[in-house]
C-alpha cells in the first residue's frame, strides 16, 4: 500500500512540473593515498596529544589536513579522518 501511495505522490509531482534530480557523478570515496596520509596525520596527533580528549585531537588533525589541502572542503577532510580512524 505504501508503495502505491509513493508512486501516486510522485505521479502527482510530475504532473505539477517536478523532475527528478540527476544523481551526482562525482566519486565520493577518496583514494588510498589520501587515506594513508590521513592515517599518518592521525597517528602523529595521537602521539602528540595522547591524554587530550577526542575533539581536541580531531580538531588538530583537521587543521593539519586543511593546511596540506586548502582546496578541499572541511566535510571531505573530516571524512578522511573518519576513514583513517576506521581502518
Amino acid at each position: 500500500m505504501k508503495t502505491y501511495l509513493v508512486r501516486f505522490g510522485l505521479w502527482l509531482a510530475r504532473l505539477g512540473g517536478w523532475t527528478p534530480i540527476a544523481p551526482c557523478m562525482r566519486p565520493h570515496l577518496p583514494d588510498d593515498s589520501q587515506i594513508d596520509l590521513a592515517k599518518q596525520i592521525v597517528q602523529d596527533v595521537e602521539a602528540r596529544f595522547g591524554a587530550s580528549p577526542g575533539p581536541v585531537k580531531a580538531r588538530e588533525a583537521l587543521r593539519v589536513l586543511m593546511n596540506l589541502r586548502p582546496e578541499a572542503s572541511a566535510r571531505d577532510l573530516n571524512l578522511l579522518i573518519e576513514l583513517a580512524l576506521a581502518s
Side-chain angles (χ1 to χ4, degrees), residues 37-65 81 85:
L37 174 67
K39 282 182 190 177
Q40 183 62 39
I41 290 171
V42 167
Q43 289 173 355
D44 291 345
V45 169
E46 285 281 336
R48 282 190 290 158
F49 296 94
S52 298
V56 173
K57 292 185 260 188
R59 189 172 49 241
E60 180 65 19
L62 180 62
R63 184 191 64 78
V64 171
L65 282 171
I81 293 170
L85 289 172

Side-chain angles (χ1 to χ4, degrees), residues 57-76:
K57 292 185 260 188
R59 189 172 49 241
E60 180 65 19
L62 180 62
R63 184 191 64 78
V64 171
L65 282 171
M66 283 182 158
N67 287 337
L68 291 175
R69 298 191 56 220
E71 75 282 354
S73 68
R75 181 179 180 182
D76 291 340

Side-chain angles (χ1 to χ4, degrees), residues 70-84:
E71 75 282 354
S73 68
R75 181 179 180 182
D76 291 340
L77 297 177
N78 279 319
L79 175 65
L80 276 176
I81 293 170
E82 289 296 324
L83 291 173

